[in-house]
């Protein structure tokens, strides 16, 4: 059986992971590194871990031939580090505070944890190699790691804190639901347009939004990550907006509008207009963030998408 590589990659992306930067030195003694979310512990005795490296990587020969490597688990505050090591920057290490670990590979400051490893083995695995390292030294800072799922970064502690802060008021769950570059909008009570949304009832959870989207649109729903969390101080409601992807088929409810031509003039709610304007701008850049605040003021926590 053959599989579409893009669809398979998207399915793999449903698994929530952390974000790491793998580092070592090349034959010329220069530090090199790359982002990787294909990291896992393997064994406690002996202490082993693994990461995967694409054979197309420009670092492939240097990393697979090195005597050792380090795995730096990035913290929530290190989105810029992630961005730097995910792109072809000339001198990536100039933008990060690092030093040689006890076994000799570069380890970063401010990470959730780092592991300095000896290369235990390199296993051929299709279009990747599996690097198995023996942990020679490690440090655990206790910081929360940066999360990654379905093509974007997320901040676990940020979402939890914001959701907990709104538990004393009614919650409205909504979605920027996209398919093939178009967003689904519904008719609002004032005759304009709005995001698909529902107010949570007693005992309801986030799954209620997925059920609502499927019932409204008649389409398969792939839920995504939190996109915007804000308190409507006038209505005393907390709005939590998620990203979602809708499947193929004819929609039974709502209308799709191209992201680049959203009818913002037909949306009376200013906060919803702001959500959609930000989504259109971030979609064009490929970088999504999480807004936290109220309907007038807040902060977008930028989360660069890994290249």
């Amino acid at each position: 059986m053959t599989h579409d590589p893009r669809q398979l990659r998207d399915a793999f992306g449903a698994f929530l992971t952390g974000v790491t930067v793998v580092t070592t030195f090349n034959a010329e003694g220069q530090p090199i590194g790359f982002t990787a979310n294909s990291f896992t512990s393997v064994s406690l005795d002996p202490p082993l871990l693994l990461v995967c490296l694409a054979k197309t990587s420009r670092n492939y020969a240097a990393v697979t031939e090195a005597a050792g490597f380090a795995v730096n688990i990035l913290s929530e505050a290190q989105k810029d580090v992630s961005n730097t090591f995910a792109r072809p920057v000339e001198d990536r290490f100039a933008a990060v505070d690092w030093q040689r670990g006890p076994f000799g590979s570069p380890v970063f400051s401010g990470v959730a944890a780092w592991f300095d490893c000896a290369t235990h083995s390199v296993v051929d695995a299709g279009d990747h190699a599996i690097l198995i390292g023996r942990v020679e030294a490690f440090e655990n800072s206790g910081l929360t790691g940066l999360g990654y799922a379905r093509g974007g970064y997320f901040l676990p502690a940020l979402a939890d804190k914001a959701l907990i802060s709104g538990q004393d008021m009614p919650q409205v769950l909504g979605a920027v639901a996209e398919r093939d570059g178009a967003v689904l909008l519904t008719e609002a009570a004032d005759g304009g347009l709005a995001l698909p949304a529902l107010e949570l009832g007693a005992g309801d959870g986030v799954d209620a939004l997925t059920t609502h989207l499927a019932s409204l649109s008649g389409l398969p729903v792939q839920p995504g990550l939190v996109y915007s969390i804000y308190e409507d101080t006038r209505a005393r409601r907390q709005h939590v907006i998620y990203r979602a992807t809708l499947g193929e088929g004819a929609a039974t409810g709502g209308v799709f509008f191209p992201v680049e031509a959203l009818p913002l003039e037909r949306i009376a709610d200013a906060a919803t207009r702001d959500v959609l304007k930000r989504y259109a701008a971030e979609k064009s850049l490929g970088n999504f963030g999480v807004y936290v605040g109220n309907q007038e003021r807040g902060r977008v926590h930028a989360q660069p998408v890994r290249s």
Side-chain angles (χ1 to χ4, degrees):
M1 178 183 293
T2 59
H3 302 281
D4 179 86
R6 179 56 185 269
Q7 292 181 356
L8 182 59
R9 181 179 181 181
D10 289 346
F12 283 153
F15 185 66
L16 278 68
T17 72
V19 184
T20 75
V21 173
V22 180
T23 58
T24 189
F25 288 92
N26 62 20
E28 290 73 39
Q30 299 171 325
I32 58 174
F34 60 93
T35 57
N37 70 326
S38 54
F39 160 83
T40 188
S41 59
V42 174
S43 169
L44 295 176
D45 187 16
L48 301 176
L49 56 75
L50 69 78
V51 292
C52 296
L53 173 64
K55 292 179 179 177
T56 55
S57 170
R58 64 176 182 175
N59 297 311
Y60 182 82
V63 175
T64 56
E65 295 170 5
F69 60 90
V71 178
N72 297 273
I73 300 179
L74 300 187
S75 69
E76 287 189 324
Q78 294 183 306
K79 299 181 294 293
D80 291 343
V81 175
S82 169
N83 198 30
T84 297
F85 281 83
R87 296 176 179 175
V89 178
E90 185 64 27
D91 185 3
R92 295 171 171 178
F93 285 82
V96 65
D97 182 21
W98 67 277
Q99 62 183 349
R100 285 181 179 266
F103 192 72
S105 292
V107 297
F108 297 168
S109 299
V111 293
W114 56 255
F115 304 89
D116 196 8
C117 305
T119 301
H120 179 76
S121 58
V122 179
V123 181
D124 183 82
D127 56 10
H128 280 62
I130 301 173
L131 308 175
I132 300 178
R134 181 184 178 101
V135 179
E136 300 293 338
F138 71 94
E139 184 175 286
N140 178 17
S141 71
L143 297 172
T144 301
L146 179 64
Y148 185 79
R150 294 208 182 277
Y153 293 100
F154 65 95
L155 310 178
L158 171 64
D160 287 347
K161 181 178 179 181
L163 290 172
I164 290 171
S165 70
Q167 287 182 353
D168 62 343
M169 65 181 67
Q171 283 192 332
V172 176
L173 299 190
V176 181
E178 183 184 343
R179 183 180 72 182
D180 299 329
V183 171
L184 185 74
L185 298 177
T186 63
E187 185 173 343
D190 60 7
L193 296 172
L195 290 172
L198 80 160
E199 185 169 320
L200 286 187
D204 286 342
V206 175
D207 289 346
L209 177 61
T210 303
T211 301
H212 177 69
L213 272 175
S215 175
L216 169 71
S217 67
L219 301 172
V221 179
Q222 179 178 290
L225 303 174
V226 173
Y227 185 62
S228 187
I229 305 169
Y230 65 92
E231 178 183 333
D232 186 329
T233 57
R234 292 186 293 262
R236 290 294 297 163
R237 279 171 168 73
Q238 185 190 52
H239 292 256
V240 184
I241 311 298
Y242 288 82
R243 291 162 54 198
T245 302
L246 299 178
E248 297 302 317
T252 58
V255 179
F256 282 102
F257 294 92
V259 173
E260 67 275 10
L262 293 169
L264 299 178
E265 71 284 354
R266 296 179 59 190
I267 299 173
D269 182 66
T272 301
R273 289 199 303 271
D274 288 343
V275 168
L276 288 170
K277 284 191 288 187
R278 179 167 66 88
Y279 186 85
E282 293 179 342
K283 176 73 175 179
S284 67
L285 297 173
N287 291 346
F288 292 100
V290 176
Y291 173 88
V292 177
N294 60 35
Q295 80 278 13
E296 295 178 346
R297 294 185 302 276
R299 175 186 172 192
V300 176
H301 298 257
Q303 301 172 65
V305 173
R306 191 183 60 159
S307 60

